[in-house]
Amino acid sequence: MSDLSEAPIPDQQATPDRKSPDVRTPDTAGPGMLPAAGNAALARMLQGAPGGTAALAELVQFGGNAQVARFAGLGDGSAAPPAPGPVAPPAPVNVTVGAHGEEVRDAQIKLSRVQASALPLTEDGRYGPLTASAVRTFQTSAGIAPPTGVLDPVTKTRLDAAFAALPPPARTVLSLGSTGADVGFAQQKLNALGAAPRLTVDAVFDARMLVAVVKYEIGALSRFPTGTVDAAMWADLDKKVKGGFVANEGAGATPVEQNTPSGTATSLAKQVAGTSLHPVTGVGGLTRGPAVEELQQKLNKAGAAPPLKVDGAFGPLTTAALQAFQTGRVPPLAGTGTADKATWDALDAVAPGSTTGAVERQWTEEVGGHVYGMTGANASRYSWEIQKTRMVVTAKITFVGLAPPAAWFGHVESVWNRYMGVETASGKSMPIDFRMVRGAGGDANTVTVSAGKGRANAGQWFAGDKDAANTIPHEFGHLIGLQDEYQLHPGDFVQATGHEPPVGDATGAAVAVTPATIAANLQAAMVARSSANARAASVGAGVKEGAFAQQVVEAYAALATVTVPAAAALPGPPPVPAKPAVPLTGNLLRDLDAALPDDNPRYDTIQVFSYSSGSIMGDPGREKDPHDHGAQPRHIAQFMTILGQALGGTWEAKRR
Amino acid sequence: MILRLVIADGSQTPAVAESVEVADDGAISGWRSVSDGGVGWFAGHLPPGELAEVRALVGAIRAVPPPVPAPPESAEEVLELLATGPVSIAGIADGPGDWPSLAAASRRLLDRLTDFPRAAVAAHHPAPGVARLVHRGTDPVRVDLGDIAVGATSWRGYYELAGDWSGEVEGPGEVEAGPGWTYDIPIGVDGPGSVDGSGSVDGSGGVDGSGSGFESDVVVHLTIDFAILSGTTRVPVRASYTPAVG
Ligand SMILES: [Zn+2]
């Protein structure tokens, strides 16, 4: 309890030091003006009209032209994200079993890639026996004697050198009509560098990809467009965007696709439009706790006179100060004495930061083509407090039914308490601790605890869940507003994880039928309401997650849509509820969800046409991904923003 | 029909696919696929008092509720009423109001259903080292015991994981289970004897598949996965046994 007794740090409100986005302007050098014919050809291509080689031939006559460059500058790769800034190297010290942090994670990445580990190491930043064993193996192979298993400065230098000496991925020159994994990786990288519209990672070099390649050649490479991804373009793509190849990891040469970072991850689920992140505070809402403290701090910053005592109790003085703030706006807000969305919006504009606060997040997500959410009474509720030496995030839960097993509270902490916020300029750090506590009231979440071991959802957990070490931290993630990272559409996957959809099975080499046939079979299965047929047409035909499956998704979208007639309930077994008529939309995941019964074959079918991460918010049971595992920095980004608002500066989540 | 609830969740294996229906005369019937009280067919009659409560809750319903998204990981829950047709209730939590009350009562009916076994099979733990399938009800049920998967988890104190054991058993294949029928499966979680070497021990609590002594302060939970045959349809099911812990 000593944590709670720590006084909040004094106001250190400062304007967050936001850097302006680093946007390069397109290179406008080039010969002469583009003749009208070239404009027309380019315009057709940029509009995605079927073009192919003829259009390219027409266009390349005008390549290098300034107008082409300006044209291509719209949403092309010219806004490449800057490379991460230099990080000061840590002082050389021995790193060994029990150590943890970014340095350990960096070593794990390298040990797997130089194949010193037996299997790909889980990159969790925890120096355990597997990491130590890999270090010993590396030391032996590098002639460092004796092999200690300790990452001493000599070993680290040699490991860094061995990693740097790994050959770059061998790339294939790509042009219109090319297929295969490298096409998918190029699509990933073009997306990461801003291709608009995004390219489907389907490993097919089609006319849409041709447009993106040409735009990139002109806008980013400033060269006469060839319509090919040649060695020079590969070198540029690989320099600017990491990942996008398959590496053998560990002594057993396990092939592991290396994730391609893309954009900034937004792991928070989509907030319901028109809702506030602040709970209603004051009369009719919360009258105690962090929400009230936040209100008092912000009213003080907004000029409450005399200043309010920040005690988290909504009394007459707070009421009066709130009313004064409300009526003092131009135009005035109703002086209700209750902080609603409009009042909080006004307060946030005046005083964005505070050292404590409460969040009530109403959100939705689409998983497996179905919309889920936590809204209304089910909203995610949590609070945070910036103390002297750390930040504490608390989700309070009213447990209904059975009592929660004590181990659950520890499971939350062992998965989530792995990070600290680090202020990039000053190096100041602040551990972020997450806590699940029991409690009641308007700022608590409600969870029913049931006997047995069913599949938990955000509102019902099972006391007899032997996998609680994963399940409870996952559901806790929802309570702090995080979305799921499984069975996602590609665009949602990129947004949630910050990396491109994996290329996976690029060509469907084991699949004997075309994507168009599979798509037609899937549609027929939906019309027949047969999930077994859908699975047979996809998983059963050899379709696996990845680029080839996305070719099926595209082929399906191109089919003429039909309406699946309404179906009466079936008594079963297994019983099936009555289903209304389903007008198919061409969106495969949504159509599978709407037309087919919720059973194993449907789930398996949706799985191969969607994307899932291996993180704690993904599906670690199905997606074994040593790189994207457990809680990731993206999952706590919202607290980095809060630190910046309260303390100033730019904060990043680092392993601790 | 007064109401019919179907709950389905294909994200777990075996899938949840269950139903309960209450008829005008108070007859309650349905199917359970993943259940403590047995899996299979259930049928009986609700006492007049309970039927009246259900009628009152259903009678209060006038219109379809505003759509509420279901929480993440929720099963599909479709409630059919004459007044509304099928309505998705997965997003409707227990609480005040006509729809929350009806939704909660409907879910409870699915549990109540297991008090009326007709042709069902339940899991028991009659003695250390034994998992038992037991017929429930009056009618025979055809079961496929060709491929049985057993999970046993032992708990100490209040849900402190003490051990975890899983094994697969090649059983007798298709059999008809009628009144009085039982089938025993040796398990390795809390008694001597393992299951033909196919059991695996992956718990961290010192449980030994080849036989550690029974601990009297340990509570064992079981799941037994097999299939029930309905005509030509083979329906995977899970009978579970989850006595109170602590
Ligand atoms: Zn989830």
Side-chain angles (χ1 to χ4, degrees), chain A residues 444-625:
Chain A
N445 305 278
T446 300
V447 170
T448 300
V449 180
S450 301
K453 60 176 199 182
R455 181 175 186 250
N457 66 53
Q460 184 182 26
W461 304 355
F462 287 86
D465 179 2
K466 68 181 184 191
D467 193 33
N470 287 311
T471 309
I472 303 303
H474 175 100
E475 301 304 341
F476 180 87
H478 289 316
L479 298 186
I480 58 172
L482 299 174
Q483 73 162 87
D484 281 306
E485 295 177 3
Y486 60 89
Q487 296 203 338
L488 302 182
H489 294 286
D492 292 342
F493 180 85
V494 175
Q495 193 171 23
T497 65
H499 50 83
E500 286 288 317
V503 169
D505 180 7
T507 59
V511 184
V513 278
T514 64
T517 302
I518 296 168
N521 291 344
L522 285 168
Q523 192 184 64
M526 287 184 239
V527 170
R529 304 263 188 192
S530 171
S531 52
N533 288 0
R535 180 165 64 181
S538 53
V539 182
V543 179
K544 295 182 170 60
E545 291 170 46
F548 179 79
Q550 296 308 307
Q551 294 173 28
V552 177
V553 172
E554 292 180 302
Y556 177 79
L559 292 176
T561 56
V562 295
T563 293
V564 180
L570 299 174
V576 178
K579 289 254 184 184
V582 177
L584 297 181
T585 63
N587 182 315
L588 181 58
L589 299 188
R590 289 181 191 169
D591 288 353
L592 290 168
D593 173 71
L596 298 179
D598 186 349
D599 56 12
N600 287 162
R602 186 185 83 175
Y603 195 86
D604 296 346
T605 305
I606 289 175
Q607 182 78 18
V608 296
F609 295 114
S610 58
Y611 293 99
S612 306
S613 89
S615 82
I616 190 68
M617 297 313 295
D619 188 353
R622 286 175 192 251
E623 305 290 329
K624 303 297 181 198
D625 186 343

Side-chain angles (χ1 to χ4, degrees), chain B residues 7-238:
Chain B
I7 297 185
D9 181 1
S11 68
Q12 54 179 309
T13 307
V16 172
E18 315 200 300
S19 65
V20 61
E21 179 171 339
V22 178
D24 293 324
D25 64 355
I28 179 172
S29 60
W31 165 266
R32 296 293 309 260
S33 64
V34 178
S35 158
D36 251 20
V39 290
W41 290 270
F42 296 81
H45 269 85
L46 287 177
E50 278 181 63
L51 178 61
E53 283 173 28
V54 173
R55 279 190 186 286
L57 287 167
V58 172
I61 297 300
R62 295 280 172 269
V64 173
V68 183
E73 281 88 54
S74 293
E76 177 185 70
E77 299 183 331
V78 177
L79 183 62
E80 292 174 50
L81 307 175
L82 288 179
T84 60
V87 173
S88 172
I89 61 164
I92 302 177
D94 197 0
D98 293 338
W99 272 104
S101 302
L102 176 61
S106 305
R107 293 175 190 125
R108 283 195 298 272
L109 283 171
L110 205 53
D111 288 331
R112 182 77 170 98
L113 186 62
T114 58
D115 294 331
F116 307 100
R118 196 185 87 204
V121 173
H124 283 295
H125 183 45
V130 180
R132 176 175 290 172
L133 287 173
V134 179
H135 177 267
R136 293 191 72 209
T138 51
D139 295 3
V141 52
R142 281 194 305 134
V143 295
D144 181 352
L145 302 181
D147 186 9
I148 307 172
V150 184
T153 309
S154 60
W155 306 97
R156 191 180 288 118
Y158 184 71
Y159 284 105
E160 295 165 39
L161 192 61
D164 183 33
W165 183 92
S166 62
E168 292 187 2
V169 183
E170 214 176 289
E174 190 180 323
V175 298
E176 185 170 277
W181 176 88
T182 63
Y183 181 75
D184 283 1
I185 306 154
I187 56 170
V189 71
D190 61 352
S194 61
V195 182
D196 66 20
S198 65
S200 64
V201 177
D202 53 12
S204 56
V207 172
D208 184 342
S210 60
S212 63
F214 177 70
E215 296 178 66
S216 58
D217 63 339
V218 160
V219 174
V220 176
H221 285 179
L222 299 175
T223 58
I224 308 178
D225 296 357
F226 58 103
I228 291 182
L229 298 158
S230 170
T232 57
T233 306
R234 186 178 176 280
V235 188
V237 291
R238 167 172 291 180

